[in-house]
Amino acid sequence: MHAVRFWVEGKPHSGEYHDAHVTSGGRMWPVEAVRLLSPVTPSKIVCLGRNYAAHAEELNHEVPERPLLFFKPPSAVIGPDEAIVLPRSGRVDFEGELAIVIGRRCREVPARDAPSVIRGYTCLNDVTDREAQGWEKNWVRAKGFDTSCPIGPWIVSPDALEFPLTLETWVNGLRRQHTSTTALLVGIPEIIEEVSAVMTLEPGDVIATGTPAGVGPLAAGDWVEVRISGIGRLVNPVRTQD
Ligand code: ZN
């Protein structure tokens, strides 16, 4: 199942995407007739840093002994096709990532029980103000600005996916990141165990699993696209502030 949220007739709807159409409450629209929204409205977005060795290396960082965790605020979330608005910074990077969407309230979930709390998966772009990240210890400006968390286009249930997944990021039609999820240093069940040991996870919460090598800067006018096999494509334009 592909779960979507979309805007049509002046309000948001939750429903399903199938075969270029969206459905909600027994009604159907062609997908071009609606505006897709982020498929989730998370209470929090927990992100892993340096969870692919090749990416830690390109930024000259050690791979951490335990997963590095940080937040993006819910206010950073945008949907497919919505513009990433660049903060006034010397460098803002794309980071294509596989995102886990939590399906039920849970805490202290052992890795073996992780599948029971996963609703599905989607694409996420952990857009990062790299300049701020250089001087700011807690990454609030670097990771938390408005529009820095595109999510979508829909949530695909685990049983509809064949792991390992292939993750790619494209900018203006050029492929910039390419990995298999087999390269994740901390795997999905262990991520759930680690995060839920710290905090209660709520339905709709999102965990971003980290970005592979190949990150690079975005400029106004760019189109950035995160593609994951079996899920789809999350495309966002980039613009400067008004
Ligand atoms: Zn990231």
Side-chain angles (χ1 to χ4, degrees), residues 162-234:
E162 254 179 73
F163 283 85
L165 305 177
T166 302
L167 164 68
E168 299 173 23
T169 308
W170 293 66
V171 180
N172 304 332
L174 293 176
R175 192 171 71 181
R176 307 289 298 278
Q177 294 186 289
H178 181 210
T179 192
S180 162
T181 53
T182 54
L184 283 167
L185 295 171
V186 183
I188 289 159
E190 293 73 25
I191 290 173
I192 301 273
E193 177 170 308
E194 182 79 25
V195 177
S196 71
V198 182
M199 68 192 82
T200 300
L201 295 171
E202 304 285 352
D205 278 356
V206 167
I207 303 176
T209 57
T211 202
V215 297
L218 292 170
D222 285 348
W223 285 84
V224 58
E225 175 177 335
V226 181
R227 289 186 195 173
I228 301 177
S229 58
I231 299 178
R233 303 152 48 140
L234 168 66

Side-chain angles (χ1 to χ4, degrees), residues 47-51 55 70 72 94-97 124-128 130 133 139 143 208-212 215:
C47 305
L48 273 81
R50 302 172 202 163
N51 199 25
H55 170 62
F70 58 92
K72 290 176 93 76
F94 57 85
E95 292 193 357
E97 307 196 7
L124 185 147
N125 194 340
D126 173 19
V127 183
T128 300
R130 200 68 76 198
Q133 197 180 25
W139 298 358
K143 298 287 194 177
T209 57
T211 202
V215 297

